[in-house]
Amino acid sequence: MSGNRLTRWVRRLDVFAVIEKLLTLAALVLVAVTVGGQLGQILGLHGTVGLLAGWSIAVVYDALWIGALRMSEVAIRQRSTVGIAVMLGLSVVAVGTSTATLLILGHAQVFAFVPVAAALFMGLRLFAGNVLADADTAAAIAEQSAADRNARALAAADARHLRAEATTDVVTETAGHLAEAERQMARADVLTRAQAQINKARAKAEERLASSEKEHGTAALAFAERDLVLAVSRPVVTAGGHVAAELDGHTVVTQAKPEIEPVTIPPVTADETDTVTVPVQAPVEDGMTLQDLADIKGIELPEPGATLSDDQLEVVLRWLRYAMEPPRSYRQAQAEFRAHGFRAREERVRRIWGEIETNEAKVH
């Protein structure tokens, strides 16, 4: 059984192709050994450096030599006139240089023609496989070879396009994230600077108000307590029975003038302790919860951190204001509003608070 297999293998064996490959391998080895061992010294390099330089040049030259022969085969198959001329020209130069190198530097000049023999065997194979066929067959071979080459080129182009597209998508997505981050940072910067300016203006206003209260508060309070009376002067009757309007033949117009009754300003004695009495606030016992107020209003329970509607905002502010006795002021309620985690724009909070105070004034 094994004998039959060996016989079939021997019949299928292409002796011509085997000799071509052996000659090609022998030529590459001879050129590499000859050039790699001596080229370093010729270049003036010695030791390990010279050996590395020589062998590197030898390997590169062998790659060029065998590559030119292989590309010649491709050019012949595709019936490319320019390719055949270029590649065969390079092959002739490479084989001639290899032969000359072995003749000059080789230890045995008899092996100098091994590259020529390898090139001849390869040329015969190419001639037999691509030139001896009839015209139609040769054209079909050329078309198949060109189709294979085009298919490989298209596949490589598709792979490059997919890589470029993936890279572009990643770059675009990353740029979008970076742009959003820059926008958020710019927004935060603008808002914080604006809030700082607002706080500064409010602090200055508070200082001016405190200074005015300290300097003019007592006089302003006294003025508010004055009674303004509108008195009308009556015509004065003279001894002759004439009124003032008929004296000396002239008409005198009587004018109404306001008279301000004098009010004594009560002395104000400054508190020796220099303290201001503030009404003590205390939580309302059994007060309504936020859930109770939301149920009465018929709305959803306001959640901290969520965007609140006007109705929800009103419920939260009412709950904060009337949870203390006496009711909280706007600033106290605003501080508690933030402390409980609720969010809303300043102008919305002020507007709703004003509506609450207006409705409260109508009730009272």
Side-chain angles (χ1 to χ4, degrees), residues 125-304:
R125 180 176 58 81
L126 294 176
F127 182 80
N130 298 278
V131 179
L132 293 181
D134 59 84
D136 294 337
T137 303
I141 293 173
E143 290 178 0
Q144 290 177 356
S145 179
D148 294 339
R149 178 195 61 188
N150 294 336
R152 288 192 296 271
L154 288 174
D158 290 340
R160 288 193 300 270
H161 175 69
L162 291 175
R163 286 195 298 270
E165 189 176 25
T167 303
T168 302
D169 291 342
V170 172
V171 170
T172 303
E173 183 178 358
T174 304
H177 291 315
L178 292 176
E180 179 62 22
E182 292 289 341
R183 191 186 72 83
Q184 293 292 341
M185 288 188 290
R187 182 174 181 271
D189 181 63
V190 171
L191 291 178
T192 51
R193 282 192 284 109
Q195 187 62 45
Q197 293 175 357
I198 293 173
N199 292 341
K200 184 177 180 181
R202 287 177 176 174
K204 288 183 177 180
E206 288 292 340
E207 291 177 1
R208 288 195 298 269
L209 183 60
S211 176
S212 177
E213 288 285 348
K214 183 177 180 181
E215 185 176 357
H216 307 294
T218 304
L221 179 62
F223 179 81
E225 293 178 354
R226 291 176 183 271
D227 292 330
L228 300 182
V229 180
L230 184 62
V232 180
S233 60
R234 289 173 294 180
V236 180
V237 180
T238 63
H242 300 284
V243 297
E246 299 175 357
L247 289 176
D248 299 328
H250 299 285
T251 301
V252 180
V253 179
T254 303
Q255 296 180 345
K257 59 180 180 178
E259 293 182 359
I260 301 176
E261 297 181 359
V263 177
T264 304
I265 299 175
V268 178
T269 304
D271 189 359
E272 295 180 357
T273 61
D274 196 18
T275 58
V276 179
T277 303
V278 179
V280 179
Q281 286 185 324
V284 176
E285 296 182 0
D286 299 330
M288 299 186 70
T289 64
L290 184 60
Q291 182 67 61
D292 295 336
L293 293 175
D295 293 341
I296 293 173
K297 191 75 173 177
I299 60 174
E300 232 181 275
L301 177 67
E303 295 291 343

Side-chain angles (χ1 to χ4, degrees), residues 97-118:
T97 304
S98 300
T99 302
T101 301
L102 293 176
L103 281 173
I104 297 172
L105 302 178
H107 299 287
Q109 282 76 11
V110 68
F111 295 112
F113 295 98
V114 172
V116 176

